[in-house]
Amino acid sequence: MANSDHGGSPTQPTVAGHGGTADRLAERKSLLRGRLRAARSRLSQAERAAAGLALMAAVLELPQAQMAGTIAAYLSVGTEPPTGGLVFALWKRGGYVLLPVLRDDYDLDWASYEGPDSLVPGPRGLLEPAAQRRGTGAISRADLVIVPALAVDRAGNRLGRGGGSYDRALARVGSQVPTIALLYDDELLDEVPAGPHDQRVRAVGQPGRGIFWVG
Ligand SMILES: Nc1ncnc2c1ncn2[C@@H]1O[C@H](COP(=O)(O)OP(=O)(O)OP(=O)(O)O)[C@@H](O)[C@H]1O
Ligand SMILES: [Mg+2]
């Protein structure tokens, strides 16, 4: 697994409004993304696959996932913990699974997953559901929301890919809905740089620790 030296420098403030301009915040996020991506790229295929299987088992065991009628999830790309098996299993179990469709403005539209044959190539190497788009507000109807992240801190602050897509999407999720970010084991940090537009997640999933609440 990747080493755990992903935290910000202890001499640097990591929360906006405590000494950082928006530019400084963006710079700190960018630096941290680079380190996290590099660590992910050092994982072997076998380590990634094992992480995906462990995360799938943890989510499927979760009572909130078993009770959920509608689940918003995502298909992993690149070195992210694999989620293809999880998405398939949630759908096979009878859940209504919504997947994101990236819009040109980086906001997220949503469409239902209807099996592996229902996916088509989208922009930036993403696979997207071919079904009718339900609009950016469709995520509001999800009983459980599963999102990607490069890191999350103990307050639930989330570092994503840098498009702000999930900051917009998570702002539309009700306050009682579990929102879970899937990480590798070294990606729960003491502090993640966050600004006013950053939306927190309420739970984290890690291969070695399962699903647990943060914040
Ligand atoms: N609610 C919003 N409305 C419009 N733009 C936004 C919003 N939230 C974030 N953004 C834009 O997205 C940019 C990147 O945000 P940020 O660095 O937090 O991305 P991220 O959370 O890592 O990405 P993602 O959510 O896609 O995984 C921000 O600088 C801002 O321009
Ligand atoms: Mg953000």
Side-chain angles (χ1 to χ4, degrees), residues 26 29 33 102 105-106 108 148-150 158-171 193 195 197-199:
K29 284 183 175 181
R33 279 190 196 101
L102 185 64
D105 64 358
Y106 287 91
L108 297 178
L150 281 165
R158 167 188 169 278
L159 184 73
R161 296 173 191 141
S165 304
Y166 280 94
D167 289 315
R168 282 168 266 194
L170 287 170
H197 72 261
D198 284 304
Q199 294 289 318

Side-chain angles (χ1 to χ4, degrees), residues 42-51 78 82:
R42 289 193 291 271
L43 296 174
S44 69
Q45 284 294 348
E47 286 172 311
R48 286 181 205 144

Side-chain angles (χ1 to χ4, degrees), residues 13-14 17 28 30 46 83 97 106 164 177:
T14 52
R28 293 206 307 279
S30 175
T83 62
V97 180
Y106 287 91
V177 176

Side-chain angles (χ1 to χ4, degrees), residues 192-207:
V192 162
H197 72 261
D198 284 304
Q199 294 289 318
R200 294 180 182 185
V201 290
R202 304 187 175 117
V204 163
Q206 291 188 294

